[in-house]
Structure formats: C-alpha cells, structure tokens
Amino acid sequence: MNSTSVSEHTMMLIISVFKKIILADFSTRNSFWDYRNNYEPRELYSKNLLIVGFGRIGKKLGRLANAFGMNIFVYDPYIDNNFEEYEIQYFKDLKTAFQSADCISLNLPKVEKPIITRENSKYLKHGVIIVNTASCLLYTSPSPRDLSTSRMPS
C-alpha cells in the first residue's frame, strides 16, 4: 500500500465512525427503519484530530481532514516541530494532546512500546475515536475490569 491509499483509508474510517455508516448500513439492509429517529451522527467540522506520526501518511491525512474543517493536532516523537506550511498545532507531550483530541489516528512505524497505555489512557477524552492504520499495535487493550473504571471507550 502507498501513503495516499493509507491516508484515504484512514479518513474513510474516521468519517464512517463519526457518521455511523455501519449502523445505517446494517439498519437499512435489515429494514430497521426506526434507527433514523435516533440517528445522531457527529460532525467532523471543528473536531480535533490528533495525528500521531506526521510522516508521509500523517501529512496527507492532515490535508484531507483539513478539507473537512477539522483542527489538526500532531504528536511525533521522531521529528521536530518544523511544519510552518501546515495549519497544525504541534504537541510535545501526549498527555496534553490526548486531553484535546476527539479523534486519534496512529500512523507510526513499529515502536518499542505502545503509544496508548493503561497509564496514559486516563487522559483521553470520553468517547474519543482511535484509528490505528499503523503496521503494528500502538496501544494496549485494557482488561475488562479496567473498562468499567476507565475513560477509554469500549
């Protein structure tokens, strides 16, 4: 896969979750027409997208999300804040970035330790959407006991 395909796929996943495409598709295919009465898609406009990893894929994703009016936040542990040509806000620490993000896209290459852990997941906004299109696992899944007390969505 190339960076354009991955960034487009990531944006499609983000749109699908915000607009509840899977629910709408399932309901329509099964003639559950009442779903429309409770259908509450979220708008992408003015939502905060945190891109973790701002290489080729992250930059292309940033341009796509910007076209939807999303606010682009970036955290990348491997590169410095040198993005003057992009309309982004750069974060040097994940805690602050997590507290601001409505949606997180994980785009890093293989890393030695997960980016989202039990310890730092407490800083995630309630209901945050996490999209992992990286080629490795960048988060640790909480145990069922942690889900009952965590702010991490199930």
Side-chain angles (χ1 to χ4, degrees), residues 33-99:
W33 305 114
D34 288 342
Y35 87 93
R36 294 180 295 182
N37 298 334
N38 298 319
Y39 182 63
E40 296 179 14
R42 297 165 58 187
E43 291 187 2
L44 278 75
Y45 183 80
S46 79
K47 293 295 187 280
N48 300 329
L49 172 63
L50 172 60
I51 300 174
V52 179
F54 206 59
R56 288 186 309 251
I57 293 169
K59 288 176 183 168
K60 288 180 181 185
L61 175 61
R63 285 188 207 105
L64 291 171
N66 189 282
F68 283 90
M70 296 184 85
N71 302 314
I72 311 303
F73 298 161
V74 170
Y75 171 80
D76 194 318
Y78 301 110
I79 53 180
D80 295 325
N81 180 8
N82 189 16
F83 311 116
E84 288 81 29
E85 75 250 32
Y86 299 96
E87 294 178 29
I88 65 166
Q89 182 174 349
Y90 182 79
F91 287 93
K92 291 186 178 185
D93 71 292
L94 277 173
K95 176 184 169 184
T96 309
F98 283 169
Q99 291 172 338

Side-chain angles (χ1 to χ4, degrees), residues 22-42:
I22 302 299
L23 171 65
D25 176 68
F26 176 83
S27 299
T28 302
R29 289 176 190 266
N30 292 288
S31 300
F32 299 144
W33 305 114
D34 288 342
Y35 87 93
R36 294 180 295 182
N37 298 334
N38 298 319
Y39 182 63
E40 296 179 14
R42 297 165 58 187

Side-chain angles (χ1 to χ4, degrees), residues 2-4 6-7 10 53 55-62 107 133:
N2 62 46
S3 59
T4 300
V6 175
S7 60
T10 304
R56 288 186 309 251
I57 293 169
K59 288 176 183 168
K60 288 180 181 185
L61 175 61
N107 305 297
T133 54

